[in-house]
């Protein structure tokens, strides 16, 4: 309970100032009781009873109640109290309180107030220099006391300036970091919307277009020519379109839940890699399929069996993006191959997984991709975040993409024997 009260002090400046005022009042009372008064008797102009220093102490401590909310006014009034205390010979308690008022004025004051204080400090330095020239030859003790006062004021002001500068530097650094995090978050959300939603909707549109063509073909069929054409292809296109829109809806709800700080139920559930790989074929229009060369799907599943969930999701999203890219910009079936590579430079005993995705380009397609490139670039950024790489490009009539991902669990996975040893 007490710790919570202390933590809330920064949010309650009035409570904090009252605590500081009480502290200095107690310290000043102890110093007065120990006789720490008339420390600069050479500056005394009036003779006053010892209890007078308690009056100046109480007045200075009262001004501390507005050190955070009205720092410049508190400093001006504090200067009057400190001058009166000095003309009585000065007490340690009031000097300490005045240094705190200077510190608070520089730290909490507005930019305009700080500029005023800087001008006043310049005038004070000039006045002090002139006074030293006039007083030092005849009254060296007074000159020494004035120099001590000047140093105390200067140290207090520099202390407050340093804290103010640190606060400004920290605020600027936090603002820069916040802007960078915001840009990164917006980019990540854009990639998520593209990979998880836009791709599913675009592919669903392809399935619907294919279904329309198949329906038109059925309408043109001659009813006297025999049984009508098989409806399985039409049904398959519609099923895949429905699955695509359902998945887009699910992913969009997940993104909305993240943006509203509501945890999506089941997010931390284990990933069925085999099922996710099999679902990639659903991104292609009816009549097109995914060929896993040399059981590439099993190779990928084994490699990811002991990987971190986040890394598995990134790899699966990358494969989904590449398959969706093939569905939108390519033709024919998609071939996917996978192989284990040797040691990685950062992991001499580990391995990397290389996956190649290729498909035929549309006849007459431009050598460069016709899309925005957001999907491929987003996939590259995702893979780089977990140490992976992506290379993609057109090679004649074929478009090919290769991604590599270091496998964290490679040290625990039994080595694949070389070909010919089985």
């Amino acid at each position: 309970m007490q710790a919570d009260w202390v933590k809330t002090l920064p949010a309650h400046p009035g409570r904090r100032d009252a605590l500081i005022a009480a502290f200095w009042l107690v310290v000043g009372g102890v110093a007065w009781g120990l006789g720490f008064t008339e420390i600069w008797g050479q500056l005394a102009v009036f003779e006053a009873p010892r209890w007078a220093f308690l009056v100046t102490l109480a007045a200075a401590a009262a001004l501390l109640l507005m050190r955070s909310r009205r720092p410049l006014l508190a400093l001006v009034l504090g200067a009057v109290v400190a001058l009166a205390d000095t003309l009585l010979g000065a007490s340690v308690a009031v000097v300490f309180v005045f240094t705190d008022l200077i510190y608070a004025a520089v730290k909490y004051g507005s930019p305009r107030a700080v500029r005023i204080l800087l001008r006043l400090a310049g005038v004070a330095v000039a006045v002090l220099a002139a006074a030293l020239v006039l007083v030092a030859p005849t009254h060296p003790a007074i000159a020494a006391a004035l120099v001590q006062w000047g140093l105390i004021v200067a140290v207090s002001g520099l202390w407050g300036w340093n804290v103010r500068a640190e606060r400004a530097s920290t605020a600027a650094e936090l603002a820069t970091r916040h802007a960078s995090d915001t840009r990164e978050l917006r980019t990540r959300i854009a990639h998520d919307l593209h990979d998880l939603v836009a791709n599913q909707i675009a592919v669903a549109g392809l399935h619907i277009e294919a279904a329309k063509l198949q329906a038109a073909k059925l309408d043109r069929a001659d009813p006297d020519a025999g049984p009508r054409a098989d409806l399985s292809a039409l049904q398959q296109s519609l099923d895949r379109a429905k699955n695509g829109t359902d998945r887009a809806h699910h992913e969009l709800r997940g993104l909305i839940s993240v943006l509203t700080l509501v945890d999506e139920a089941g997010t931390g559930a284990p990933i069925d890699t085999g099922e996710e790989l099999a679902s990639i074929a659903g991104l292609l229009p009816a009549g097109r399929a995914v060929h896993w060369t040399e059981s590439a799907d099993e190779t990928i599943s084994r490699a990811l069996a002991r990987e971190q969930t986040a890394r598995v999701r990134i790899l699966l999203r990358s494969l989904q993006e590449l398959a969706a890219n093939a569905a939108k910009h390519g033709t024919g079936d998609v071939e996917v191959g996978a192989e284990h590579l040797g040691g990685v430079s950062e992991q001499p005993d580990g391995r990397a997984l290389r996956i190649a995705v290729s498909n035929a380009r549309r006849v007459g397609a431009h050598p460069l991709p016709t899309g925005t490139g957001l999907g491929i670039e987003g996939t590259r950024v995702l893979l780089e975040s977990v140490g992976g790489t992506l290379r993609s490009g057109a090679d004649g009539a074929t478009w090919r993409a290769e991604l590599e991902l270091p496998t964290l669990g490679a040290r625990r996975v039994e080595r694949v024997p070389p070909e010919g040893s089985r």
Side-chain angles (χ1 to χ4, degrees):
M1 189 71 176
Q2 184 177 1
D4 295 338
W5 182 81
V6 173
K7 291 179 180 179
T8 59
L9 281 179
H12 299 84
R15 186 186 304 171
R16 182 184 63 237
D17 291 346
L19 185 63
I20 293 175
F23 169 79
W24 282 121
L25 191 61
V26 172
V27 172
V30 173
W32 179 84
L34 295 176
F36 291 105
T37 55
E38 298 187 27
I39 57 176
W40 289 319
Q42 64 271 35
L43 297 179
V45 177
F46 306 103
E47 291 186 5
R50 195 162 169 269
W51 57 262
F53 291 104
L54 288 178
V55 176
T56 56
L57 171 62
L63 295 175
L64 288 173
L65 296 175
M66 53 182 181
R67 64 188 291 277
S68 298
R69 292 167 293 179
R70 304 292 296 276
L72 187 60
L73 178 60
L75 178 60
V76 172
L77 297 178
V80 175
V81 174
L83 177 61
D85 187 78
T86 302
L87 295 179
L88 297 177
S91 61
V92 169
V94 173
V95 171
F96 282 165
V97 171
F98 186 61
T99 59
D100 187 88
L101 291 174
I102 296 174
Y103 164 80
V106 177
K107 178 181 178 181
Y108 299 113
S110 64
R112 182 172 177 271
V114 172
R115 288 194 297 268
I116 293 175
L117 290 177
L118 288 177
R119 296 190 185 99
L120 292 178
V123 173
V125 169
V127 172
L128 179 61
L132 291 177
V133 172
L134 296 176
V135 174
T138 56
H139 300 85
I142 295 178
L146 291 176
V147 170
Q148 292 172 1
W149 244 125
L151 290 176
I152 290 174
V153 171
V155 170
S156 303
L158 291 175
W159 182 23
W161 181 269
N162 181 63
V163 174
R164 184 185 184 92
E166 287 293 335
R167 289 176 60 189
S169 176
T170 301
E173 182 180 352
L174 290 176
T176 302
R177 186 181 305 174
H178 175 71
S180 176
D181 292 343
T182 300
R183 286 193 300 270
E184 182 179 352
L185 177 61
R186 292 176 62 181
T187 301
R188 184 63 180 267
I189 292 174
H191 291 319
D192 286 347
L193 287 173
H194 179 278
D195 296 346
L196 302 177
V197 180
N199 273 342
Q200 299 291 342
I201 295 176
V203 172
L206 292 177
H207 291 318
I208 293 173
E209 288 295 328
K212 289 171 60 178
L213 293 175
Q214 291 158 2
K217 184 178 179 181
L218 289 176
D219 287 340
R220 291 194 301 268
D222 185 1
D224 299 330
R228 296 173 64 89
D230 190 2
L231 296 178
S232 61
L234 176 60
Q235 185 65 38
Q236 184 182 25
S237 295
L238 294 176
D239 288 343
R240 290 187 176 183
K242 178 64 167 55
N243 291 336
T245 55
D246 287 346
R247 185 156 186 165
H249 179 253
H250 172 75
E251 297 294 352
L252 186 58
R253 286 176 60 87
L255 288 174
I256 292 174
S257 69
V258 172
L259 292 176
T260 53
L261 302 180
V262 178
D263 294 332
E264 181 185 8
T267 299
I271 301 175
D272 189 337
T273 306
E275 182 179 346
E276 292 291 334
L277 293 175
S279 67
I280 293 178
L283 297 173
L284 300 177
R288 299 173 62 182
V290 175
H291 293 301
W292 304 92
T293 60
E294 298 182 358
S295 301
D297 52 345
E298 297 180 5
T299 301
I300 297 173
S301 297
R302 288 197 302 269
L304 300 181
R306 301 185 181 182
E307 283 293 325
Q308 298 174 354
T309 302
R311 291 167 59 85
V312 175
R313 289 187 185 278
I314 287 177
L315 181 63
L316 292 175
R317 279 185 55 181
S318 301
L319 291 177
Q320 291 170 358
E321 165 59 28
L322 296 178
N325 189 75
K328 290 184 289 186
H329 305 298
T331 184
D333 296 338
V334 176
E335 291 191 359
V336 181
E339 62 176 336
H340 290 289
L341 301 180
V344 185
S345 58
E346 293 83 359
Q347 298 174 312
D349 297 330
R351 289 195 195 134
L353 177 66
R354 174 186 290 171
I355 303 175
V357 180
S358 60
N359 65 280
R361 301 166 61 209
R362 294 185 185 275
V363 178
H366 192 273
L368 296 177
T370 57
T372 62
L374 177 63
I376 295 297
E377 184 60 29
T379 300
R380 182 177 290 108
V381 172
L382 282 177
L383 287 171
E384 288 177 353
S385 68
V386 291
T389 59
L390 173 65
R391 296 183 297 273
S392 63
D395 182 13
T398 304
W399 181 83
R400 179 180 176 87
E402 286 188 359
L403 61 89
E404 293 182 10
L405 181 70
T407 52
L408 295 181
R411 291 186 178 89
R412 301 186 298 270
V413 178
E414 184 177 349
R415 292 187 176 274
V416 178
E419 295 184 4
S421 62
R422 300 180 182 179

